[in-house]
């Protein structure tokens, strides 16, 4: 069980012990914990499926969308999986995102299982159909609001103004629970 889920379960147990939450009757804290446990299990199953495809080198079971940023100094690295919530899908579609430097370029790879491919394509359409600075902006927003596992190169981050550093950190924190698709801020560039 992921550490955050385990810690939250212990927190709920303590709330019941001191009488702040009902023990048997559903409450928002229990529903929140249950939803996170279900999501953790679904993520585990999805990752297990991905791992099996990679271990068997069965690339036909995965669909990839690759973006190459030419002549781009590496400023971030990403290895993340996130869900595409609020879509009309029978199960929650998920997508993996990898961002890494290669031969003086930055490679961006989105990967999904075939059943999620139509939802992933629709979700990524705006990013995949754009280019240049606008594409980098859309990628930056997506990474900040959807990915937990990323790093920013210290040389890049330290060269940013304090105002840009604050804007990036603030947007990241404000979108932990819910994405802000309509939020626009030119200070959010990660590339």
């Amino acid at each position: 069980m992921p550490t955050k889920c385990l810690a939250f379960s212990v927190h709920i147990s303590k709330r019941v012990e001191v009488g702040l939450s009902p023990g048997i009757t559903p409450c928002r804290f229990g529903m929140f914990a249950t939803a996170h446990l279900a999501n953790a299990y679904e993520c585990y199953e999805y990752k297990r499926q991905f791992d099996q495809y990679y271990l068997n080198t069965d690339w036909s079971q995965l669909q990839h969308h690759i973006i190459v940023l030419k002549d781009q100094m590496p400023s971030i690295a990403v290895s993340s999986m996130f869900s595409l919530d609020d879509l009309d899908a029978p199960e929650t579609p998920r997508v993996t995102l990898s961002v890494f430097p290669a031969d003086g370029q930055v490679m961006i790879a989105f990967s999904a299982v075939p059943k999620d491919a139509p939802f992933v394509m629709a979700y990524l359409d705006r990013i995949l159909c754009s280019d240049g600075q606008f594409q980098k902006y859309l990628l930056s927003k997506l990474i900040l609001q959807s990915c937990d596992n990323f790093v920013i190169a210290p040389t890049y981050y330290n060269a940013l103004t304090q105002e840009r550093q604050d804007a990036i950190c603030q947007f990241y924190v404000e979108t932990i629970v819910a994405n802000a698709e309509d939020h626009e801020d030119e200070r959010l560039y990660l590339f």
Side-chain angles (χ1 to χ4, degrees), residues 54-144:
Y54 277 109
L55 289 172
N56 294 336
T57 60
D58 189 359
W59 309 122
S60 67
Q61 296 300 316
L62 298 171
Q63 184 178 39
H64 304 283
H65 300 283
I66 309 295
I67 298 171
V68 179
L69 301 178
K70 297 180 189 283
D71 301 320
Q72 174 70 48
M73 290 299 298
S75 56
I76 64 168
V78 179
S79 178
S80 188
M81 178 185 69
F82 55 95
S83 60
L84 308 180
D85 300 325
D86 302 324
L87 295 177
D88 187 25
E91 294 178 16
T92 304
R94 290 181 165 75
V95 62
T96 66
L97 170 60
S98 300
V99 178
F100 54 94
D103 298 326
Q105 306 174 112
V106 173
M107 305 298 288
I108 298 160
F110 293 97
S111 303
V113 297
K115 72 178 180 58
D116 290 345
F119 303 103
V120 170
M121 264 310 283
Y123 186 81
L124 296 176
D125 183 62
R126 189 171 179 209
I127 293 172
L128 296 173
C129 291
S130 63
D131 58 9
Q133 288 301 107
F134 186 60
Q135 186 178 54
K136 292 177 187 179
Y137 174 72
L138 293 175
L139 287 164
S140 297
K141 273 183 60 176
L142 175 73
I143 291 164
L144 288 170

